[in-house]
Amino acid sequence: HEDILLSGEIFMLGKGIHHSENHFPFLTFQNLPKRLNYALNYPRLALKYKPFLKAYYRRAEASGFGAAGFKLMLSQLKFLPGFVAFFKKEDIKPIVLTRRDVAGLALSVLLARTTGTYHLEKEYKNIERQKIQIAQEVLLERLDDARDCNQRLEVLCKKFDSCLSVDYDDFYDWDNIIGKICDYLGVKFARVGQALEKINTTRQYENIIANYSEVKALLEKEGYQI
């Protein structure tokens, strides 16, 4: 969208984000786990994220964008103390992405972490994928995580005076949800293409999961359908 600057996951510790020129300047300690690197960067993040974001939005406005944003993960919020009050003060409008399909969320996370592939660019959507085995105890843990994630996002959204909650499945009606997002951000509607493709659908699970019957039975026992 020509009126929106979308800068990817700017508080991600690592490289390869969209619009990397807007990436937060982390201090990276080689050969240390990511979690420890985040912890060592906490004082820097806590002190600098507010002026960093103010400068980001000033640059976007000066460049003529009607709206600007970035991807922020739940796991990163603990490194941004006071972010709710700051977002409200600066009129930063949150868009919260949820997934009502708890079983689908749990399976997608498991499959992505096992294969290392979270999304596919559209031209690679027919790539051959190896079947994987899913342990029951691991799936139950991921179901708990998925439920907890949705609850935390719901609570988070209620903390803001204005918050747009978008479900993963809303993107099947692409133009409609893009229209709602444009209205929320106060920019004109424009048709935009999808850069990424969903890779784990209900029809594909049987071809992806080696112990599909076992997984299906467990999910049905927990009250979920796939």
Side-chain angles (χ1 to χ4, degrees), residues 43-156:
R44 182 179 178 83
L45 272 165
L47 289 172
K48 293 182 176 292
Y49 86 87
K50 292 178 182 178
F52 170 79
L53 285 178
K54 286 181 179 180
Y56 166 67
Y57 284 112
R58 282 196 302 269
R59 290 196 306 273
E61 185 177 6
S63 297
F65 289 102
F70 56 94
K71 181 180 178 181
L72 185 61
M73 307 297 288
L74 270 175
S75 59
Q76 296 165 353
L77 297 181
K78 57 180 172 288
F79 301 107
L80 309 178
F83 78 93
V84 172
F86 174 70
F87 279 25
K88 286 182 177 181
K89 181 181 177 182
E90 298 297 320
D91 194 28
I92 298 175
K93 296 180 176 181
I95 299 174
V96 175
L97 179 61
T98 62
R99 189 165 181 177
R100 291 185 296 267
D101 180 7
V102 171
L105 174 57
L107 287 173
S108 290
V109 170
L110 277 174
L111 292 168
R113 289 180 178 175
T114 302
T115 63
T117 303
Y118 288 78
H119 302 281
L120 286 180
E121 294 183 11
K122 298 185 77 171
E123 58 266 35
Y124 297 113
K125 66 181 179 180
N126 294 320
I127 191 170
E128 185 177 348
R129 303 169 68 202
Q130 186 176 359
K131 282 193 174 185
I132 66 168
Q133 188 88 8
I134 295 180
Q136 290 195 25
E137 62 273 15
V138 176
L139 178 55
L140 289 172
E141 289 177 3
R142 293 290 78 79
L143 287 171
D144 286 340
D145 289 346
R147 286 188 288 260
D148 178 66
C149 179
N150 278 340
Q151 290 171 0
R152 290 170 64 195
L153 288 171
E154 183 179 351
V155 169
L156 177 62

Side-chain angles (χ1 to χ4, degrees), residues 2-225:
E2 63 181 12
D3 290 334
I4 302 175
L5 172 63
L6 187 57
S7 295
E9 196 177 330
I10 61 177
F11 293 110
M12 178 182 75
L13 186 62
K15 298 180 179 180
I17 73 162
H18 189 50
H19 282 295
S20 59
E21 70 275 12
N22 296 315
H23 200 182
F24 183 83
F26 285 97
L27 298 177
T28 304
F29 300 90
Q30 299 294 332
N31 302 319
L32 290 181
K34 181 180 288 188
R35 187 170 297 181
L36 183 54
N37 259 291
Y38 266 121
L40 292 171
N41 272 279
Y42 175 77
R44 182 179 178 83
L45 272 165
L47 289 172
K48 293 182 176 292
Y49 86 87
K50 292 178 182 178
F52 170 79
L53 285 178
K54 286 181 179 180
Y56 166 67
Y57 284 112
R58 282 196 302 269
R59 290 196 306 273
E61 185 177 6
S63 297
F65 289 102
F70 56 94
K71 181 180 178 181
L72 185 61
M73 307 297 288
L74 270 175
S75 59
Q76 296 165 353
L77 297 181
K78 57 180 172 288
F79 301 107
L80 309 178
F83 78 93
V84 172
F86 174 70
F87 279 25
K88 286 182 177 181
K89 181 181 177 182
E90 298 297 320
D91 194 28
I92 298 175
K93 296 180 176 181
I95 299 174
V96 175
L97 179 61
T98 62
R99 189 165 181 177
R100 291 185 296 267
D101 180 7
V102 171
L105 174 57
L107 287 173
S108 290
V109 170
L110 277 174
L111 292 168
R113 289 180 178 175
T114 302
T115 63
T117 303
Y118 288 78
H119 302 281
L120 286 180
E121 294 183 11
K122 298 185 77 171
E123 58 266 35
Y124 297 113
K125 66 181 179 180
N126 294 320
I127 191 170
E128 185 177 348
R129 303 169 68 202
Q130 186 176 359
K131 282 193 174 185
I132 66 168
Q133 188 88 8
I134 295 180
Q136 290 195 25
E137 62 273 15
V138 176
L139 178 55
L140 289 172
E141 289 177 3
R142 293 290 78 79
L143 287 171
D144 286 340
D145 289 346
R147 286 188 288 260
D148 178 66
C149 179
N150 278 340
Q151 290 171 0
R152 290 170 64 195
L153 288 171
E154 183 179 351
V155 169
L156 177 62
C157 203
K158 289 179 179 178
K159 292 182 179 180
F160 294 92
D161 301 324
S162 175
C163 179
L164 179 63
S165 181
V166 176
D167 188 75
Y168 194 87
D169 288 338
D170 291 338
F171 288 101
Y172 285 118
D173 190 357
W174 181 255
D175 282 346
N176 182 55
I177 193 59
I178 294 300
K180 287 182 178 179
I181 292 172
C182 289
D183 287 343
Y184 176 67
L185 297 177
V187 299
K188 65 182 180 181
F189 172 76
R191 283 190 167 84
V192 295
Q194 294 173 266
L196 301 174
E197 190 82 3
K198 183 178 179 182
I199 60 175
N200 298 319
T201 67
T202 301
R203 293 186 300 276
Q204 294 173 325
Y205 284 135
E206 193 167 1
N207 297 324
I208 300 169
I209 302 171
N211 57 329
Y212 174 80
S213 297
E214 178 184 315
V215 167
K216 185 174 184 289
L218 177 60
L219 288 173
E220 288 176 350
K221 183 180 177 181
E222 294 294 313
Y224 299 106
Q225 298 289 329

